[in-house]
Each structure stands twice: as structure tokens, then as C-alpha cells.
């Protein structure tokens, strides 16, 4: 209960400024997702979440902004929770992008907000609708790239930790069975980042993706 109240205290009222149109150069740095809801009086409005992943220019904080019919209604630092008709909108991020942007109804059921069609997330969703087989293949490849990065990264992290003097003195050192050149390490790391970014477009990334990349 305390955690919920803490989230709600983060929400601030907006100034009513208009929603700025999505630009092509914001492809990987901005998320824009919307949902249309009907209030108790029968009126219908579009609720849009806008997240700039590089943070605000004023203080660098990453905020979620809620626009109602393209007018700024409220904003919050992360994690964000906005009260809307029939439930709430939850927004969370990780180091790769949006982790969650869902409308949660009062009965507990939930649905993802729809990405702007011109955004990277919207283009990825369109690819899935038009070419589901290709989409699944891309998803499998992305997961494989993340797994490869994980198999290389984790042993190296354990090796580094085991060389800390107190740990080495108590349990000994560990030598990673994966010994690769710097160039190969960088190549695998880059592949893991690409795979994780693709998964982030579908809000499938997790701490595993962050660790691998």
C-alpha cells in the first residue's frame, strides 16, 4: 500500500501543452503509445503516454507524460502510475526502453497501449501483423543473440569477482572457460545489444537482456 501511495505522489498535473508529433530521428529515443477509453459519462478520449528515454533536458530525469486528446494532463518520474477511466496506466522502463506500458482495468485484466505507427515500436508491431512468420524468426534470433551474450558475459563477471582478494582468499579464483579475443568479445556484445533492443521494441526485455548486453 505504501508503495502504491509513493507512486501516486510522483504524479504532477500537466500544463495542457500539446503533444508533439513523432519525428523519424526519435526512432530509438522516444516511445509514444496510446489507448482510447470511455468515461462514465459516455465520452471517449485518447490517452497517450510519451517517454523520452534520454531524459529531460532540464534535469536528466526520465518521465512518463500522460496526454488526454493530445493535451498534457499529468506527468511522473518512473515507475509511473496514472489513474484513468476504468482503471490505471502503468509505465516502467529498464536500460533498454519500455518494460511495461499497460492499461490495467479494475478487474485486474490488462492490455498494452498501441505504439505510434511511425515509431520503431509501431513499425515492429506492423511487421508482426503483416509477416508473423518472419516476426517469430526475428524474435528467435534476438533471443539467441541475447543468450550468446549471456554465456560470454556471466563467466567473465564471475571470474572478475573471484579475483577480489577477500573472495579469492576464502573460496579461490575462477577462470572463465570462455576465453575470446577483444574483437570477438566486442562483436558478441554488440550482437547482444542488437538482440536486446529488438526485444525492447516488443516490451520483452528484462534484467537478463541488460546483463547480456
Amino acid at each position: 500500500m505504501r508503495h502504491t501511495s509513493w507512486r501516486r505522489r510522483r504524479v504532477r498535473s500537466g500544463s495542457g501543452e500539446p503533444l508533439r508529433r513523432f519525428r523519424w530521428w526519435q526512432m530509438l529515443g522516444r516511445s509514444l503509445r496510446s489507448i482510447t477509453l470511455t468515461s462514465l459519462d459516455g465520452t471517449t478520449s485518447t490517452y497517450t503516454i510519451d517517454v523520452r528515454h534520454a531524459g529531460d533536458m532540464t534535469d536528466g530525469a526520465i518521465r512518463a507524460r500522460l496526454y488526454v486528446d493530445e493535451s498534457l494532463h499529468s506527468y511522473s518520474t518512473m515507475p509511473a502510475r496514472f489513474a484513468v477511466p476504468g482503471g490505471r496506466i502503468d509505465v516502467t522502463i529498464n536500460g533498454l526502453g519500455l518494460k511495461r506500458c499497460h492499461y490495467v482495468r479494475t478487474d485486474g485484466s490488462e492490455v498494452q497501449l498501441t505504439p505510434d505507427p511511425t515509431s520503431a515500436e509501431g513499425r515492429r508491431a506492423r511487421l508482426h501483423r503483416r509477416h508473423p512468420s518472419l516476426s517469430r524468426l526475428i524474435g528467435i534470433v534476438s533471443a539467441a543473440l541475447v543468450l550468446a551474450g549471456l554465456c560470454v558475459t556471466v563467466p567473465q563477471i564471475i571470474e572478475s569477482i573471484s579475483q577480489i582478494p577477500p573472495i579469492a582468499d576464502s573460496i579461490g579464483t575462477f577462470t572463465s572457460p570462455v576465453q575470446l579475443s577483444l574483437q570477438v568479445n566486442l562483436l558478441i556484445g554488440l550482437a547482444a545489444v542488437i538482440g536486446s533492443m529488438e526485444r525492447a521494441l516488443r516490451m520483452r526485455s528484462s534484467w537478463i537482456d541488460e546483463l547480456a548486453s
Side-chain angles (χ1 to χ4, degrees):
M1 197 71 173
R2 287 181 180 178
H3 185 59
T4 301
S5 300
W6 174 73
R7 283 188 178 186
R8 286 176 178 170
R9 282 201 299 271
R10 290 170 169 260
V11 178
R12 299 289 182 267
S13 297
S15 59
E17 64 186 70
L19 175 66
R20 294 184 179 181
R21 198 176 72 185
F22 195 96
R23 303 292 185 176
W24 66 266
W25 62 80
Q26 300 171 327
M27 196 76 69
L28 298 178
R30 182 185 182 191
S31 292
L32 197 62
R33 288 175 172 263
S34 303
I35 190 170
T36 300
L37 301 173
T38 303
S39 61
L40 292 176
D41 61 6
T43 58
T44 299
S45 296
T46 299
Y47 294 77
T48 302
I49 295 292
D50 187 3
V51 178
R52 309 295 179 100
H53 297 290
D56 289 353
M57 295 182 64
T58 53
D59 57 5
I62 300 176
R63 294 180 172 86
R65 288 175 168 80
L66 173 65
Y67 291 80
V68 180
D69 293 331
E70 300 191 357
S71 177
L72 182 61
H73 180 270
S74 53
Y75 61 92
S76 171
T77 50
M78 300 293 183
R81 174 171 292 179
F82 301 101
V84 296
R88 66 179 191 269
I89 294 176
D90 288 344
V91 189
T92 59
I93 58 171
N94 56 23
L96 298 164
L98 278 183
K99 182 179 179 181
R100 180 175 173 80
C101 189
H102 286 64
Y103 170 58
V104 183
R105 301 182 181 89
T106 52
D107 62 6
S109 60
E110 55 185 52
V111 61
Q112 287 187 16
L113 273 68
T114 302
D116 186 283
T118 60
S119 68
E121 294 151 304
R123 294 172 189 271
R124 180 63 181 86
R126 186 164 62 249
L127 173 66
H128 181 73
R129 290 193 303 270
R130 294 180 177 179
H131 308 283
S133 297
L134 176 60
S135 175
R136 285 192 292 271
L137 177 60
I138 293 174
I140 292 172
V141 172
S142 297
L145 294 177
V146 172
L147 181 60
L150 194 66
C151 290
V152 171
T153 302
V154 171
Q156 292 178 347
I157 291 175
I158 295 174
E159 179 177 348
S160 299
I161 293 175
S162 73
Q163 293 174 354
I164 298 174
I167 297 176
D169 293 340
S170 60
I171 63 173
T173 59
F174 170 78
T175 300
S176 171
V178 183
Q179 299 294 331
L180 303 172
S181 66
L182 176 60
Q183 292 84 352
V184 175
N185 262 328
L186 291 175
L187 185 61
I188 293 176
L190 177 61
V193 169
I194 293 173
S196 296
M197 290 177 64
E198 192 282 327
R199 285 165 53 80
L201 295 179
R202 295 177 287 127
M203 289 197 288
R204 297 289 183 87
S205 63
S206 65
W207 63 270
I208 294 177
D209 295 82
E210 296 186 82
L211 179 62
S213 56

